[in-house]
Every structure is written in structure tokens, then in C-alpha cells.
Amino acid sequence: MKYLILHAGGLAGHAQDALGGRTPLQAAATPHLDRLARIGELGLVTNPAEGNRHGSGLNGTAILGYDPKKYYQGPGPLEAASLGVSVTEQDVVYRCTMVTVKPEGGKVGADIKKLSAHVVLDDATAGLIETDEARELIEAINEQLGSETMQFYPGTGHRHVMVWMKGKPRAVCVDPQSVRGRVIGDALPTGDGANILRELMEASHLILRDHPVNAERLASGKNPANCIWLWGEGRAIPWPSLAERFQVTGAVVASSAVHRGVGLCAGLDASDAPEIGDEPFKAMAATVLDEFAKKDFVYVHASLPDEVVHGSDVNATVRAIEEFDRDLVGPILKGLEKQGPYRFLALCDHGEGVQGQAFAVFGEGPGTDGASGGRRFTEADAQASKAPVRDASKFVIKLFAKG
């Protein structure tokens, strides 16, 4: 028996006028996900930490069987685990996101004296900055702001990590996506240690605003990465091993560093799909099947490309969902059928900063279409299901049940 958890990160959405009142999932042709919905049990999912915690990795923590109220400390420690950053339980890890800020009523690139209520967060991804450029900027920040207690580590694109050794864990920080397009006054860190975090963010602006990388970006019409935004804080506490708990061999294949970190914290081996041009889902599917040839279980987390997620073209979102189904889900299911029986759990949730309930389908394959007719893998079909709302953290017991 093989075991698959497929986490469709951020594919769930809300009805769009441009799509005739449908969500992107409803508008997309997804025959492989829809087949899972027909042969399995489809329904809504609740997370035991909802209302108390938020952030990327929360549903991933729960779906692997961990109580997020205990084990989910924030996305920062998970991203650090993915990057191989060594931390202790006393250290506080922050996501260090590169953003673009500008004066209220002013232009990007105009002078800012101080991060205040008169500053606007213009772009929460710094123009989807490339990793090579971002690495140069993070290294400049670490060179000037790094110390025995503060260290900055490069990640990918606009996403990076800061570790505060034996830091204060009670500061309240905000996801920059929720601040995009508005003044930052009420979104700056508050609470114990917040002054230090604000000083670091402010100092980063002084370092980055005149950096040659940003001068070049401005000259070419791109948004500069002219400030860091610290958030997603948490301590890195140890997790018990999923592989040992259920006596399985397992791997994680993830497009997100945070969810790669979730898998690593759970004791899974991490396998990274090679980057192949404009067809990342095909490469990921091949990597997943390679892992299934060696292991019992694979946790797959995949999301849509950043340029789609942070763009405004809903038709591009529909096309990306169709590619997800065709190039990732289809090949994985076809490959699993050749290996014999398997159990699957496919979870779909909303993107970061987007409110909405997750849903999932659980079942065994290859399977045959049952009496569920034209049921599809969509928000509306899950809402209409008569299945009880499930606790996301309990699925693994059913997934790995013997017999």
C-alpha cells in the first residue's frame, strides 16, 4: 500500500464576476482532481488552531497529524528548517520578507526618513525579486545589521529568514500581504521586543534604498526591495517523527520552503524537483513518482506560481489550476495505479491572507466512480457534501490504518 497526501496550496478561492460568479476551481477543467472527488469522501475540513494561529504551514502541520496549537509556532521556524538553518529552542525565527515601501502620496523611490504612519507598503513581494538579486541584498543587510544575537539568512525570491538568538517571542507581527497598498502605521511590530524589530526594519531601509541592485531595478522600471518586513515569528520546537509513529518510510516534495520545512520537522526526507523552464508541475510529478518507487508515503505540497498568485488575471489562475491538474495530479495518479493500491488525501485551502474554509477528499485508489455522479473537486461541492466536517489533524490515523 502506498500513501499520498496531496496539498493543493492556495487553489481554493472566491467567486469572481469575470468568471460568471464561479471560483477559479469551478471554472477550471480538472478531470483528475474531480475523479478523486467521485471515488473518495469529500467534505469540509477544520483546523483545531483556527482563530488562535495563522500563517503558512498551519494546515500542513495539521494534515500530517500534529496538533497545531502545540507544534505550529509560526512559518519562520519551518522556513528555517527548510533552509538548513541551525537554531535552538530558545531562538526566535522570523520570516524576513523583502518589500517595497513609499511615502504616502509619493512615488516609489522617493525619500523616506522613518517608517511611520505616513509610509505605504506598495508591494509585498518587491516586484517578485529574483533570488540572485535578493541574496546580494540580504548579505548586505547581514553584513551591517548581523551580530552575535541577530543573523539574516538568504532564502528564495522575496522570502528570507532572520534568527534572534535567545530572543523575545511575544512581539506581535503582521503578514505584509495584509498590509499591501495601505499605510503601515498600525501594522508595524508591537509588544515585547517590538522596538528592536522596528529599528532593524528601519535600518534595513537605509541600507537598501541606495544599494546598486535597487538603483538598477528602479532604472529598469521594477519595484525596488527597499525594506525588510519581519513577521511569522516562532520558536523551533522538536516534533515527534511521523515515520516512526506509523512505521512508514516517507518523503516530502514541496514547492514552498515552509511546507518543505513541515515535512522535515515531521521526520520525512526532502526531495526537490529540478527547475525545468515553464513546466514545474511535470518535474514535481516525476520527483514524486521517483520517491514512491523507494518509499511508502509522500507528502506533496504544490501551489500556483508566484506571478499568478500575486497577479490580478483570474483567467491566468484558471489556466494554472488546469496545469496543476494535468501536469501534476494526472501523472502521479497514473504512476500510482501501476504500483498497486494506494490511499490518498487531497487537501485544498486558500492562499496566505485569504479567508475561507479548507476542504479535502479521502479515499483509496485506483477505485471506480461511485454514485456521486458529477461531483467535482470544488469549494461548492465540498460545501454541499453530507459528510461531517473533519478535524484536519485526525486524517492521518485513517490514512495509515492497517488492514
Side-chain angles (χ1 to χ4, degrees):
M1 180 73 75
K2 299 291 186 180
Y3 307 93
L4 167 69
I5 292 180
L6 174 63
H7 187 167
L11 267 66
H14 298 292
Q16 303 289 326
D17 291 341
L19 299 176
R22 297 173 295 172
T23 69
L25 255 181
Q26 289 177 306
T30 55
H32 304 293
L33 287 170
D34 293 344
R35 184 169 183 275
L36 293 182
R38 292 195 300 274
I39 68 175
E41 183 180 288
L42 178 71
L44 298 176
V45 170
T46 186
N47 189 309
E50 283 173 356
N52 298 309
R53 294 187 181 278
H54 63 277
S56 181
L58 181 64
N59 284 332
T61 301
I63 209 69
L64 289 185
Y66 297 90
D67 181 352
K69 288 182 288 188
K70 178 178 180 180
Y71 292 103
Y72 182 77
Q73 300 294 305
L78 300 173
E79 190 138 15
S82 178
L83 295 175
V85 175
S86 179
V87 295
T88 73
E89 291 183 58
Q90 288 73 46
D91 301 334
V92 183
V93 187
Y94 292 81
R95 296 190 91 177
C96 177
T97 300
M98 293 198 151
V99 301
T100 305
V101 294
K102 68 177 185 179
E104 186 179 15
K107 296 181 178 180
V108 170
D111 190 37
I112 295 173
K113 302 294 185 184
K114 182 179 178 63
L115 295 185
S116 68
H118 300 291
V119 172
V120 171
L121 198 156
D122 186 66
D123 186 341
T125 69
L128 293 173
I129 187 169
E130 296 288 340
T131 297
D132 289 345
E133 290 180 310
R135 178 179 292 270
E136 188 174 340
L137 297 177
I138 283 292
E139 288 174 350
I141 288 173
N142 196 52
E143 184 177 332
Q144 297 190 51
L145 301 182
S147 65
E148 291 183 356
T149 57
M150 299 285 185
Q151 286 291 307
F152 297 83
Y153 297 90
T156 57
H158 58 283
R159 305 176 182 96
H160 310 276
V161 163
M162 185 193 83
V163 178
W164 184 355
M165 274 71 87
K166 298 182 179 179
K168 298 181 179 182
R170 301 192 184 280
V172 178
C173 304
V174 175
D175 182 345
Q177 288 292 344
S178 67
V179 192
R180 184 178 56 178
R182 64 182 182 87
V183 293
I184 65 174
D186 62 352
L188 292 168
T190 60
D192 193 21
N195 286 343
I196 294 173
L197 300 176
R198 290 187 181 210
E199 288 171 4
L200 288 168
M201 291 165 63
E202 205 159 84
S204 78
H205 175 66
L206 298 178
I207 295 167
L208 296 176
R209 66 182 181 184
D210 299 320
H211 194 283
V213 166
N214 281 325
E216 203 170 301
R217 290 181 66 81
L218 276 168
S220 60
K222 298 177 182 177
N223 277 345
N226 61 4
C227 191
I228 61 169
W229 192 271
L230 299 172
W231 68 289
E233 68 285 353
R235 294 195 189 279
I237 64 173
W239 295 14
S241 169
L242 178 148
E244 292 179 6
R245 177 185 177 188
F246 294 106
Q247 296 299 297
V248 293
T249 56
V252 55
V253 180
S255 59
S256 150
V258 168
H259 292 88
R260 185 178 186 272
V262 168
L264 287 168
C265 288
L268 304 177
D269 295 334
S271 186
D272 299 323
E275 294 186 11
I276 302 180
D278 297 326
E279 299 181 331
F281 294 136
K282 288 184 178 180
M284 180 175 273
T287 302
V288 171
L289 293 176
D290 285 346
E291 288 302 320
F292 268 125
K294 301 174 285 187
K295 294 184 173 68
D296 307 315
F297 163 61
V298 182
Y299 168 51
V300 183
H301 176 277
S303 54
L304 304 183
D306 275 348
E307 58 269 23
V308 173
V309 172
H310 299 291
S312 57
D313 184 349
V314 293
N315 291 306
T317 302
V318 171
R319 291 192 295 272
I321 290 173
E322 291 178 341
E323 290 172 7
F324 180 101
D325 184 77
R326 181 187 67 237
D327 295 343
L328 178 66
V329 183
I332 290 175
L333 298 183
K334 185 176 181 180
L336 278 174
E337 287 175 8
K338 294 178 181 178
Q339 297 191 40
Y342 61 90
R343 288 191 189 136
F344 65 85
L345 171 61
L347 172 77
C348 185
D349 56 19
H350 293 71
E352 288 185 48
V354 180
Q355 297 298 314
Q357 192 161 13
F359 64 94
V361 60
F362 172 85
E364 291 195 13
T368 55
D369 287 7
S372 48
R375 187 165 70 185
R376 298 191 61 211
F377 189 78
T378 70
E379 306 88 347
D381 287 82
Q383 188 77 43
S385 170
K386 296 179 180 179
V389 177
R390 303 284 188 185
D391 180 338
S393 66
K394 305 300 183 187
F395 272 112
V396 289
I397 297 172
K398 194 174 180 180
L399 182 73
F400 294 116
K402 303 300 181 184

